[in-house]
Amino acid sequence: MKQIHKKYLLLAHSLAKKNFGKTFPNPTVGCVLVKNYKILAKNSTGINGRPHAEELVIKKAGKKTIGSTMYVTLEPCYHNSKFGSCAEQIVKAGVKNIFISRVDPDLRTNRKSINFFKKNLIKVEVCSTTEKSNQLNKFYFVSSKLNRPYIKVKMAISNDEKIAWKDYTSKWISNSYSRKFSHKIRNISQAILTTSKTIIKDDPRFTVRMNNKIIKFLPIIVIDNSLKIPINSKILKYISKRKVIIFTSQNNKKSESLKRLGCEIIIMKKNKYFQLNLKNIFNKIYHLGIRDILVEAGGILFTQLLKKKLVDELHIFKAPIKIGQKGIPLIIGKLIKDIKLKNIYKKKFGKDVYSNYVIKS
């Protein structure tokens, strides 16, 4: 691929990155339209996934699109949208060349748009910036492949990898700088998953805050086998502003009360160990349209998720304190070094050390 084409594709990636974490459940896509080496229009996927980047650039360029070249970070959609598929709009606009960074795994589109372009004599090239596309929309590609959300786990731990004192008196382990950054992680997530035990012990609000102001209410998913969540929990105080989904095995008066409050109650059968099946829960969450989840819970759930291979990414904040052997461990029977991880980012927040890992397959 010529350097000039790579330049425009990298620009498309930069555009897509601006809306990272804001387009769920759709991927964020960047698009650049060029003619005679001049940019006619450039844009990225709109907030909440609409309108698509290709629609926006075609609309802005108008009749100048005839004979142009398009650079896009993901194969344009083939399935119908409000004004027809992006593939149809591109053909109608008279685009003559299209450079695509990554084929769309969505079966409604997968190579159908590429074949459609070729039938309409548009020159297509799938390019060498695929890795950037994978990183930008990892949630989309993983969830499409596995039929479950992309699962991230966020934890604050001591230097000896404990998440709390035995009596759970430790409200915060990480410092204020780390906690401020953790809200940025929430802000680029589609939903938060927790357990009733975490709600009982910590009673978190699970809001997204910036400069001490609430800027977003993410959907909250609670795994609560025995339906122990307190009715006066802080997360339920915001029920008019957010969705709360509770997975439980209990269908009783309390579940009816929670429904009346506005919670969505999903009843599931216990497995032979008298627990809810985690894989079934995440498959159900996927079919609810949630493609990206941030898990904020304790070491027991984290250990179970690891055993079931239901973790894709870790956000670990390590504080320079020691809790000791009687503390609550991050992972039951293991340390972080025992997991196959790739460290993709590391930063210090005061004396805390933040590490972002992906799980090696």
Side-chain angles (χ1 to χ4, degrees):
M1 180 174 60
K2 291 182 180 180
Q3 201 63 31
I4 188 68
H5 299 313
K6 188 172 183 179
K7 171 188 170 183
Y8 290 130
L9 266 179
L10 291 176
L11 173 58
H13 280 95
S14 296
L15 292 165
K17 195 173 182 180
K18 291 179 180 179
N19 275 348
F20 179 72
K22 299 176 183 178
T23 62
F24 297 123
N26 288 359
T28 180
V29 175
C31 183
V32 179
L33 198 63
V34 176
K35 191 173 182 179
N36 298 326
Y37 300 102
K38 290 184 179 180
I39 296 175
L40 300 177
K42 58 184 179 179
N43 220 315
S44 59
T45 307
I47 304 299
N48 299 322
R50 287 288 190 275
H52 287 182
E54 302 93 320
E55 292 180 280
L56 291 168
V57 298
I58 288 171
K59 184 177 181 180
K60 185 175 180 179
K63 294 181 180 179
K64 294 179 181 178
T65 56
I66 298 171
S68 63
T69 298
M70 180 175 282
Y71 300 86
V72 64
T73 57
L74 186 69
E75 180 182 4
C77 71
Y78 188 75
H79 49 282
N80 285 330
S81 60
K82 187 175 181 180
F83 301 106
S85 70
C86 285
E88 290 173 322
Q89 292 180 60
I90 289 165
V91 170
K92 288 177 182 177
V95 174
K96 281 299 174 186
N97 304 284
I98 184 164
F99 290 81
I100 299 169
S101 182
R102 174 69 152 82
V103 173
D104 192 340
D106 189 330
L107 295 179
R108 295 174 299 174
T109 291
N110 188 253
R111 291 198 172 271
K112 292 176 182 176
S113 290
I114 291 173
N115 293 332
F116 182 63
F117 293 145
K118 289 178 178 178
K119 286 179 182 178
N120 284 276
L121 304 180
I122 296 177
K123 186 179 178 181
V124 183
E125 187 172 337
V126 179
C127 304
S128 59
T129 56
T130 301
E131 185 55 39
K132 280 190 173 292
S133 294
N134 290 345
Q135 183 62 25
L136 191 63
N137 288 303
K138 51 193 172 184
F139 83 90
Y140 179 70
F141 298 119
V142 170
S143 64
S144 296
K145 181 180 179 181
L146 301 178
N147 288 324
R148 65 159 174 79
Y150 184 79
I151 303 169
K152 304 171 292 189
V153 175
K154 179 175 76 69
M155 289 280 198
I157 64 173
S158 63
N159 199 44
D160 54 345
E161 299 192 13
K162 300 295 189 294
I163 61 171
W165 276 263
K166 187 178 181 180
D167 59 0
Y168 287 92
T169 55
S170 50
K171 184 176 182 181
W172 287 313
I173 288 178
S174 58
N175 62 34
S176 60
Y177 303 108
S178 294
R179 295 197 298 274
K180 185 177 180 181
F181 186 77
S182 73
H183 282 272
K184 292 184 178 181
I185 298 171
R186 284 182 184 173
N187 196 33
I188 55 172
S189 302
Q190 189 180 2
I192 293 173
L193 182 138
T194 191
T195 64
S196 56
K197 185 175 181 180
T198 296
I199 293 171
I200 292 166
K201 295 291 183 184
D202 300 337
D203 197 17
R205 289 181 290 174
F206 284 137
T207 54
V208 180
R209 300 187 296 279
M210 297 290 173
N211 300 318
N212 294 318
K213 292 182 180 180
I214 298 174
I215 64 166
K216 188 185 291 186
F217 292 93
L218 292 175
I220 305 296
I221 300 163
V222 185
I223 298 176
D224 189 0
N225 189 351
S226 301
L227 212 57
K228 293 180 179 179
I229 182 172
I231 293 291
N232 63 347
S233 299
K234 287 178 182 176
I235 65 163
L236 299 180
K237 290 181 180 179
Y238 302 105
I239 194 72
S240 63
K241 298 179 180 179
R242 62 156 46 130
K243 181 180 284 189
V244 176
I245 303 167
I246 301 174
F247 285 88
T248 184
S249 62
Q250 304 298 307
N251 189 6
N252 51 29
K253 288 183 178 179
K254 188 172 182 180
S255 64
E256 291 302 317
S257 296
L258 288 165
K259 283 180 185 178
R260 285 193 293 272
L261 277 177
C263 298
E264 181 176 350
I265 306 295
I266 298 177
I267 309 295
M268 300 189 77
K269 291 181 180 179
K270 298 178 185 178
N271 60 22
K272 62 181 180 180
Y273 304 107
F274 302 101
Q275 297 175 330
L276 302 182
N277 186 299
L278 290 173
K279 289 187 176 180
N280 289 346
I281 286 174
F282 284 110
N283 181 259
K284 179 66 177 177
I285 291 169
Y286 174 84
H287 285 99
L288 290 173
I290 297 173
R291 302 289 185 264
D292 176 278
I293 277 184
L294 180 64
V295 177
E296 297 197 41
I300 294 174
L301 179 63
F302 183 34
T303 303
Q304 291 172 338
L305 293 175
L306 285 171
K307 284 182 179 178
K308 299 291 184 181
K309 296 184 178 180
L310 291 171
V311 181
D312 300 300
E313 187 174 337
L314 297 182
H315 296 272
I316 302 293
F317 295 88
K318 183 179 280 191
I321 60 173
K322 186 176 180 179
I323 291 179
Q325 290 186 350
K326 291 185 178 181
I328 308 299
L330 170 66
I331 314 165
I332 299 171
K334 285 186 179 183
L335 296 173
I336 290 176
K337 68 179 182 179
D338 300 322
I339 311 170
K340 292 182 180 180
L341 299 171
K342 179 182 178 182
N343 194 321
I344 58 175
Y345 185 71
K346 198 169 188 176
K347 187 174 181 178
K348 289 195 77 173
F349 292 104
K351 293 183 179 181
D352 290 358
V353 177
Y354 163 69
S355 297
N356 183 199
Y357 303 97
V358 291
I359 304 288
K360 290 183 179 179
S361 55

